[in-house]
Amino acid sequence: MRYLVFLIAPLFAFAFPNHSFEGMGSLPSDKPVVEGCIGDCASCHSLLPYEAKEILEKKFDIKEVVSIAVKRGYFEIVYKDSKGKEHKINLLFSKDKACKDLILLDK
């Protein structure tokens, strides 16, 4: 009977590769996986002025990027248009969505 258990147990490892079973324990080398926010957004996300201009000039009149601030989940970009007037726009970290006003639901 013991041999049968040793033959069947490895099959569960292949059947459920991403699942951990309670009671089986974990290996001592396992480290906790951190997903999502670890506090400092700038440690993972960056945006250079030329990159911001290249992304945003597809939809907006951008002559010069004045400043880029890293906020919680987005970049706050201040730019000048062709008339010299300053505007602010928010670009999400995914760099494919932008909006003039961002509504934070937790405030």
Side-chain angles (χ1 to χ4, degrees), residues 47-100:
L47 183 69
L48 298 172
Y50 80 89
E51 186 181 13
K53 183 178 179 188
E54 185 178 287
I55 292 169
L56 296 173
E57 71 184 356
K58 296 173 187 174
K59 299 281 182 175
F60 302 97
D61 176 26
I62 295 180
K63 183 75 171 171
E64 174 191 356
V65 174
V66 176
S67 68
I68 300 173
V70 180
K71 301 290 184 168
R72 197 180 83 202
Y74 62 96
F75 300 103
E76 185 179 82
I77 302 166
V78 177
Y79 67 93
K80 288 184 181 179
D81 62 10
S82 58
K83 297 176 183 176
K85 188 175 178 185
E86 285 191 2
H87 300 278
K88 182 187 83 166
I89 191 156
N90 302 306
L91 179 66
L92 299 183
F93 283 159
S94 61
K95 299 179 184 176
D96 64 345
K97 295 173 184 70
C99 60
K100 298 263 183 193

Side-chain angles (χ1 to χ4, degrees), residues 3-57:
Y3 298 115
L4 185 59
V5 171
F6 287 114
L7 291 174
I8 295 175
L11 295 177
F12 285 105
F14 295 112
F16 307 101
N18 294 325
H19 294 83
S20 61
F21 296 100
E22 291 183 39
M24 291 185 113
S26 61
L27 299 174
S29 64
D30 287 346
K31 295 181 181 177
V33 177
V34 177
E35 294 181 16
C37 184
I38 58 173
D40 181 20
C41 297
S43 66
C44 296
H45 302 278
S46 64
L47 183 69
L48 298 172
Y50 80 89
E51 186 181 13
K53 183 178 179 188
E54 185 178 287
I55 292 169
L56 296 173
E57 71 184 356

